[in-house]
Amino acid sequence: RMRYLSKIYAVCLVLMAGWLGMQFVHHAPVQTQLTALLPHDTSRNPVFQAANRAQEQQLNQQIVLLVGASEADKAFQAAAQVAQTWQDSGYFSQVDGKIEPDLAALRQSLQTLGVATLPAEQVRQLREQPQQYFVERAESAVNPFSGSLLSLEEDWLGLGRFVFAQSMQNGLSWHSEYGMLYTERDGKTWVWLRAHLPNTTPHPELLSLLQASKQTAQAEGYALLATGGALFAADAKQSAERESGWMSAVGLTLTFGLLLAVFRSWRVLALMVPLGVGVLVGVTAAVLVFGEIHALTLVVGTSLVGVLVDFPLHWLASSLFHFRQPESWNGVNVMQRVLPSFVVSLLITLSGYILLWFTPLPVLQQTAVFSAAALLGAFAATVWFLPPLFRYYQPRQTGFTVWMMGLAHLISGRKMSWILAILLTLLSIGVMRSQWQDDIRHWMTMRPDLLADSQQIAQISGMGAGQTVLITARSEDELLKQNQLLERAIGEQAHIQSLNQWLLTKHEQILLKQQLAKLAHQPEIYAPLLDLGVPSETIQAALKAAADAPTVSLADSLTAPQAEAFRALYLGEVNGQWASLARLYDVRADFRLPESENWQLLDKRSQLNQQFIETRNLAAWLKLLSFAVAWAGLWWWFGWRRGSLMLAVPMVAVVGTLGVLGWLGLSVSLFAMFGLLLAAAIGVDYAVYALTAPETAAARVAGITLAAMTTCISFILLAFSTTSAVAIFGVSVSVGVALSWVMAICLAARHQVSKH
């Protein structure tokens, strides 16, 4: 029957491998975007969802480039070269460099937007000091360097002069000869470029393109800066793939190097079978359930190298003590003896993974499916495949056997009780020092050169660290009014970019036009233009024409070429509400958004951190629930005394790990809690084996020790990850497994188990 089942299982594995191979042929189902790891947006407010989508698209589908040189001509020429190189790379749908506007369309929009986009200062002048306005208009008219696209005859009132001034934010200028936007800063001319990606899929090739462009810039004597979420995402993907590769290689090498040294037989490499089967089943299950598997799940999955060989090692460890009579060790018989304890351990360990499914974090849900399926696959391979593979295995004497016999004797003495008491006391003090904290910034480590570029671009643009405010209203006009109110309320606490800086409300446009109609009958007000020889009838006709011009709506105004800087702020109508964004820069440390039902700070990091805290707390409660369920099951299987002893191992490991984290000054984050869940499940596995496996005390100590060593090898490697969340996960599991090992071998050495 066992042979029949093993053959069916082998056929299923072949079908799984074929199906998974086809998935990778058609499309690689490996997700690398960091945003895919974040909790799903559970907000029922469609306005918030639209705002978040707008921000993420702008962050992840655009790369901003700055090309700078001391000589302006060199900066513009280099920028044109960079723009062409990046466009030719094929990675971008468009690279905005040279702006060649339709002059006829620009002139038309200037005439249309003249009144509607007049700055607040000029509106105030026309109301309170209209003569001063026309004095300045006359001075501009005779200034050959005024730079207006409209001639005096096309714009007698000079209203179009300010449209470009409104659109050019934060020191931006447009060079008419080269057709590029630039900023003068620190003795250099910095030319702005913007590359648009067709989607948000990370491309590690972007990093190679950037590096090649920077090398060219250095060789030719100009500066190149670049920033954008796509670059950080590409670096994160590259790091995850690199870490997954070297961790898997090093983990496998160390694990099987250890096993070869202990068993002194190449046959031990057969333990690769349950390991490979486990990974195959885990990846297949994740792709089936989610349609993809995240790279971080694979990185965490590499840590299962040690866990997946726990059952094989528990089974094989007893052979180390049969070296005097090699023929007395029979893999099939040993498997039958230890199988009941294996099944109990499997169920308890699976519960630790399954609990992760009930957390709202996608990466934990993926890890739950991957790990549970991998463990089941490896367990089945251990039971059905390994005994036949070790049919002719001959155990040999090794130094490890002697050490385990000595260790079992040592920990069975009374001194060990004192050592444990001191250790537990120190760990209890550490628990009181523990800090519970979560931060999305721990999910990735930003590459220093990319971060430096981002910071320098922010300085050059005059836009430091910023925040975003979501503004809602019942109409477009009300939306502009709310933008105005927000700007006034913020005052000097931050610099702001908002839609009211671009367009007047319809009500304000009407009032301004009424004022212009009045001024048409007051020639003494526009006398400075009359002094230039302009006929009074001409100015009067221009004022009346401006007064009779139709009002301009917000949506229509943003279609103008000059509205580029403001277009991304407008979200339009969403679910019966009009919405926009306002960007705050150089925000003071003591800034607090004034309360209003129409304004809300879009602090994505704080929202995510709060979700992480809630998920972490949920995981803690689920762990407590699992302890209660496990205790009930262990009591039912083994009686209350042995069941309580088994449960004490993971409980002490969890509390002790919190103590170690407290002493090390490491925060108990969501991923640390995830590590505790896993370590607790592993601890139960060790405890069940220690008190139920029908082997000698030394054999049980050896099995637990080997399992702990191989598991710790894998998770200690995770502690070297550049991603802080992964590193703390590795630390918490490693410490938890080490403490579980200490407690489990004490139980194994002090309790005898009947072989019948």
Side-chain angles (χ1 to χ4, degrees), residues 54 116 305 357 433 651 683 718:
V305 169
W357 174 261
R433 296 167 53 91
M651 292 186 70
L718 288 185

Side-chain angles (χ1 to χ4, degrees), residues 171-345:
L172 272 178
S173 301
W174 179 66
H175 197 286
S176 58
E177 180 181 350
Y178 290 101
M180 293 182 171
L181 296 175
Y182 69 96
T183 299
E184 298 287 349
R185 186 78 178 231
D186 300 328
K188 285 185 178 181
T189 298
W190 293 95
V191 183
W192 293 84
L193 304 174
R194 184 169 55 180
H196 300 266
L197 288 159
N199 51 54
T200 58
T201 303
H203 295 283
E205 298 84 1
L206 294 176
L207 301 174
S208 301
L209 175 63
L210 177 60
Q211 183 179 7
S213 298
K214 288 208 168 195
Q215 290 174 348
T216 302
Q218 185 176 10
E220 297 184 6
Y222 62 89
L224 175 65
L225 306 174
T227 189
L231 292 176
F232 290 105
D235 181 60
K237 176 180 181 179
Q238 193 176 71
S239 298
E241 291 174 346
R242 183 171 57 248
E243 284 184 2
S244 179
W246 77 259
M247 285 182 181
S248 297
V250 173
L252 285 171
T253 302
L254 292 177
T255 297
F256 285 97
L258 170 67
L259 297 181
L260 283 171
V262 169
F263 292 97
R264 297 176 60 191
S265 171
W266 287 102
R267 194 178 293 269
V268 78
L269 294 180
L271 298 184
M272 286 282 289
V273 173
L275 175 60
V277 169
V279 173
L280 170 63
V281 175
V283 173
T284 303
V287 175
L288 273 172
V289 174
F290 300 99
E292 61 186 14
I293 185 169
H294 200 279
L296 186 58
T297 305
L298 290 176
V299 171
V300 173
T302 61
S303 62
L304 290 174
V305 169
V307 177
L308 295 182
V309 296
D310 278 1
F311 290 126
L313 287 176
H314 290 330
W315 165 72
L316 191 59
S318 63
S319 69
L320 294 170
F321 300 88
H322 289 257
F323 59 88
R324 290 190 178 90
Q325 295 179 314
E327 67 281 355
S328 65
W329 188 85
N330 182 283
V332 176
N333 294 336
V334 173
M335 184 64 74
Q336 290 175 348
R337 288 206 313 267
V338 298
L339 190 57
S341 62
F342 278 8
V343 172
V344 175
S345 297

Side-chain angles (χ1 to χ4, degrees), residues 99-115:
I99 302 173
E100 297 179 338
D102 183 337
L103 294 181
L106 277 178
R107 289 192 178 97
Q108 180 60 44
S109 64
L110 289 177
Q111 292 173 332
T112 302
L113 297 172
V115 173

Side-chain angles (χ1 to χ4, degrees), residues 83 102 146 151 156 191 210 332 361 387 418 424 447 461 468-469 475 482 514 579 610 722-723:
D102 183 337
S146 62
S151 64
W156 293 108
V191 183
L210 177 60
V332 176
L361 206 60
W418 287 101
L424 293 176
R447 213 171 79 180
S461 68
T468 303
V469 179
S475 66
Q482 288 297 329
Q514 290 174 350
Q610 183 60 37
T722 56
T723 303

Side-chain angles (χ1 to χ4, degrees), residues 594-714:
E595 291 186 8
S596 171
E597 63 179 8
N598 299 96
W599 312 332
Q600 178 147 355
L601 195 65
L602 287 180
D603 191 347
K604 187 73 172 178
R605 182 167 68 87
S606 295
Q607 293 172 6
L608 289 172
N609 289 345
Q610 183 60 37
Q611 285 181 294
F612 294 154
I613 291 171
E614 293 172 358
T615 304
R616 184 194 65 206
N617 294 340
L618 173 61
W621 284 111
L622 288 173
K623 185 69 256 180
L624 290 176
L625 176 62
S626 75
F627 277 145
V629 173
W631 184 70
L634 293 172
W635 185 5
W636 184 71
W637 280 315
F638 306 109
W640 74 269
R641 184 174 180 276
R642 281 207 302 170
S644 299
L645 281 174
M646 292 175 186
L647 193 62
V649 172
M651 292 186 70
V652 170
V654 167
V655 175
T657 302
L658 293 176
V660 172
L661 294 178
W663 282 113
L664 294 177
L666 299 175
S667 299
V668 183
S669 62
L670 173 60
F671 268 74
M673 181 60 65
F674 172 28
L676 293 178
L677 291 174
L678 179 55
I682 294 172
V684 173
D685 169 34
Y686 293 172
V688 171
Y689 179 78
L691 290 179
T692 64
E695 306 291 348
T696 64
R700 283 177 282 137
V701 168
I704 296 169
T705 301
L706 280 174
M709 291 175 70
T710 56
T711 300
C712 283
I713 285 174
S714 303

